[in-house]
Amino acid sequence: QGVVRPTDFDVVWLWRARMQPHVDKFIAAARSAGARIVADIDDLVFASSEVTVEDIDGFRAMGWKPSSAAPLFALRTEVLAAADVRTATTVPLADAIETDIGSAVVVPNGYDDESWAVSNVAKALRPRNHLIRIGYAGGTLTHQRDLQVAVPALARVLAEDSRTRLVLFEECVNLLEF
């Protein structure tokens, strides 16, 4: 009937999860049923000696108070610490986990073969207008500083070639900053 029970799984994979009563209960029930717990993180959003609040542009960009970082990050650290296996998308993230929490495995972001095939079909079906599209998929406003690094080069390319277009996810970039 669509009810998820922790006893239904051999592996429970948690992404960016924060420890909360329902997560704690789910982990405990899954573990008691013999499941392995995997905690995945794709950004430095846990309590780490590698990060300071000043490093996190997302707090500024999203209007959050820096004081909210420590409790939020501590809850993610609890989940990472409770896991049997910890995964990170990059070597520096895995190193930060290993420094502060325990061993970690790198599972990089990327496309699977099916996504790549679908992308190629979509590309083949699009009109041949000879435009050059540069895409940026930051995901959230937390990546404003990341885009800032590329803005001078993007501006130059866009100015030099009228066929070039910058394609952005709506609501994931505040263009007024640039």
Side-chain angles (χ1 to χ4, degrees):
Q1 299 296 54
V3 176
V4 177
R5 292 181 181 82
T7 55
D8 295 339
F9 305 100
D10 295 320
V11 175
V12 173
W13 198 301
L14 303 167
W15 173 73
R16 273 197 185 203
R18 295 175 295 196
M19 190 59 80
Q20 299 173 58
H22 68 279
V23 173
D24 191 32
K25 287 179 188 175
F26 195 89
I27 290 171
R31 182 167 280 124
S32 70
R36 302 266 296 164
I37 309 301
V38 178
D40 182 66
I41 206 83
D42 65 343
D43 213 338
L44 198 52
V45 289
F46 57 93
S48 168
S49 60
E50 302 291 321
V51 68
T52 66
V53 173
E54 293 76 34
D55 295 327
I56 306 167
D57 188 48
F59 284 92
R60 178 200 57 81
M62 298 182 81
W64 297 340
K65 293 183 178 173
S67 60
S68 65
L72 177 67
F73 285 16
L75 294 172
R76 287 201 179 106
T77 302
E78 281 186 54
V79 171
L80 288 165
D84 300 305
V85 176
R86 287 164 286 281
T87 61
T89 53
T90 66
V91 171
L93 278 175
D95 289 346
I97 291 169
E98 289 182 358
T99 297
D100 295 319
I101 302 164
S103 63
V105 176
V106 176
V107 179
N109 286 333
Y111 287 121
D112 58 20
D113 292 338
E114 182 181 353
S115 297
W116 185 253
V118 168
S119 299
N120 283 322
V121 168
K123 179 182 169 187
L125 293 175
R126 100 172 164 239
R128 302 270 183 229
N129 55 18
H130 304 290
L131 292 177
I132 300 166
R133 292 174 181 84
I134 301 171
Y136 179 75
T140 67
L141 288 172
T142 60
H143 298 283
Q144 289 289 104
R145 190 185 298 163
D146 301 332
L147 181 58
Q148 181 64 47
V149 171
V151 163
L154 288 169
R156 189 175 65 247
V157 169
L158 291 166
E160 290 174 1
D161 192 330
S162 63
R163 299 171 302 151
T164 307
R165 302 292 185 272
L166 179 60
V167 181
L168 305 166
F169 285 164
E170 220 174 309
E171 300 178 21
C172 294
V173 173
N174 179 358
L175 289 176
L176 296 177
E177 284 195 19
F178 307 107

